Amino acid sequence: MTDAPRPHIPVLLEAVIQAVQPAPGQRVVDATFGAGGYSRAFLEAGAEVIALDRDPTVQPYADALGRDFPDRFGLIRAAFSELAEVLADEAPVDAVVFDIGVSSMQLDQAERGFSFMKDGPLDMRMSREGESASDIVNSWDHGPLAHIFKLYGDERQSGRIATAILRRRVERPFERTLDLADVVEAALGGRRGAPTHPATRVFQALRIAVNDELGELARGLEGAEAVLPQGGRLAVVTFHSLEDRMVKSFLTERTGNAPGGSRHAPQRIEPRAPSFALQFKGSIDADEAELAVNPRARSARLRAAVRTDAPAWGRLAA
């Protein structure tokens, strides 16, 4: 077999394999292909894999898997929010897997502009299309900037940082990652012994806003619900609380475990049949053995469910 380049280790791989249970004759959708770590594991278990990714730089990894598994692997260049549309003509699939967030290979490429640890253009676009991070910090007003820093980054000093950005961009626009990181650090008064860089939350917020990550996730989950048949499996790995809360809320609702409305309400809505059943309660986190070899897994959480025979709830099901 051809050795595919592997710039990162897929997190919670054994738990994902157990949740998905790939096997010969099954079709698995790897909705966030990245470097292909999950796809390769599914293929080695004998399954057929349909991979999705909107990042054009993943093509070499897809080419390697295509050479190794020419009859059982294919990559579709699309965002996972388009999952239901791009799979409309495909036969039913047995599982859908999401690994949400930015990959380590994207962080390591300075020219992508995701990280403040290396100087590069302030970009952050996963698809290389649309509004970039520099467009946002150079054109958005104070209110919207402070809002995304607070909402997506949980940054308590969001207003102060937005003020500093507006003041500096009058002199010259932001074009480089380290330039923005320096301005944020100065606005917050330096690191003062903080374990993480002061710009961490701002960069996270910008990345989420640039790529509409939460909107993509909401549409992707609905798409998975629409394409999975009864018995199909859904596995989602998240890396920060915003993503995890969204997945947890989706599964809580779709498994029929959301709190009901008041029995005193004038009009009660008929409960809908659960479209998913949880595979296990709560989430699976990385154990110490995995953390020892893969520190990236520290904040990762896996949630998984099995599709029931009830109709899909989402807008894509109509």
Side-chain angles (χ1 to χ4, degrees), residues 36-243:
Y38 291 132
S39 285
R40 179 170 289 275
F42 303 150
L43 289 161
E44 289 175 347
E48 178 183 342
V49 173
I50 303 171
L52 277 66
D53 207 301
R54 57 177 165 172
D55 187 343
T57 67
V58 307
Q59 193 61 51
Y61 306 103
D63 291 342
L65 283 184
R67 291 190 295 269
D68 289 347
F69 306 94
D71 300 324
R72 292 192 285 116
F73 174 78
L75 172 70
I76 300 173
R77 275 286 310 282
F80 59 73
S81 61
E82 304 172 80
L83 187 153
E85 291 86 351
V86 300
L87 296 180
D89 296 330
E90 300 285 345
V93 299
D94 297 287
V96 176
V97 180
F98 295 93
D99 177 5
I100 306 301
V102 64
S103 72
S104 57
M105 70 177 185
Q106 289 168 328
L107 291 172
D108 291 341
Q109 296 170 355
E111 67 273 14
R112 303 300 301 277
F114 284 101
S115 175
F116 49 79
M117 301 303 293
K118 298 179 180 179
D119 188 40
L122 190 57
D123 193 322
M124 301 193 188
R125 294 172 299 174
M126 292 182 181
S127 65
R128 299 291 182 91
E129 298 175 349
E131 192 174 40
S132 69
S134 63
D135 293 329
I136 290 177
V137 298
N138 288 319
S139 65
W140 284 24
D141 292 335
H142 183 279
L145 277 178
H147 177 70
I148 64 169
F149 296 158
K150 176 64 176 177
L151 179 64
Y152 297 154
D154 198 25
E155 175 53 67
R156 296 180 180 179
Q157 301 297 325
S158 58
R160 178 184 297 182
I161 295 170
T163 297
I165 288 174
L166 264 64
R167 286 176 178 171
R168 213 313 294 278
R169 78 187 191 194
V170 172
E171 303 171 9
R172 66 182 189 280
F174 289 92
E175 297 178 350
R176 312 290 294 181
T177 54
L178 293 188
D179 184 18
L180 176 61
D182 288 344
V183 169
V184 174
E185 184 173 356
L188 298 181
R191 301 191 188 192
R192 299 181 179 177
T196 59
H197 193 286
T200 299
R201 292 172 176 170
V202 167
F203 271 66
Q204 173 183 294
L206 283 171
R207 190 200 78 225
I208 292 173
V210 165
N211 298 289
D212 186 26
E213 292 183 22
L214 298 184
E216 288 285 312
L217 178 56
R219 293 185 290 273
L221 291 171
E222 284 192 357
E225 179 188 34
V227 302
L228 285 171
Q230 181 181 4
R233 294 171 176 267
L234 172 67
V236 188
V237 176
T238 60
F239 288 88
H240 64 68
S241 58
L242 284 174
E243 300 163 346

Side-chain angles (χ1 to χ4, degrees), residues 208-288:
I208 292 173
V210 165
N211 298 289
D212 186 26
E213 292 183 22
L214 298 184
E216 288 285 312
L217 178 56
R219 293 185 290 273
L221 291 171
E222 284 192 357
E225 179 188 34
V227 302
L228 285 171
Q230 181 181 4
R233 294 171 176 267
L234 172 67
V236 188
V237 176
T238 60
F239 288 88
H240 64 68
S241 58
L242 284 174
E243 300 163 346
D244 183 61
R245 284 200 298 269
M246 180 172 287
V247 176
K248 180 181 179 181
S249 176
F250 174 85
L251 291 178
T252 297
E253 179 185 56
R254 295 310 206 263
T255 55
N257 292 313
S262 170
R263 62 186 179 90
H264 301 294
Q267 291 184 336
R268 297 189 64 191
I269 299 174
E270 263 324 290
R272 303 184 70 168
S275 58
F276 282 98
L278 293 178
Q279 288 195 38
F280 47 81
K281 186 177 180 180
S283 64
I284 292 178
D285 306 334
D287 58 22
E288 291 302 321

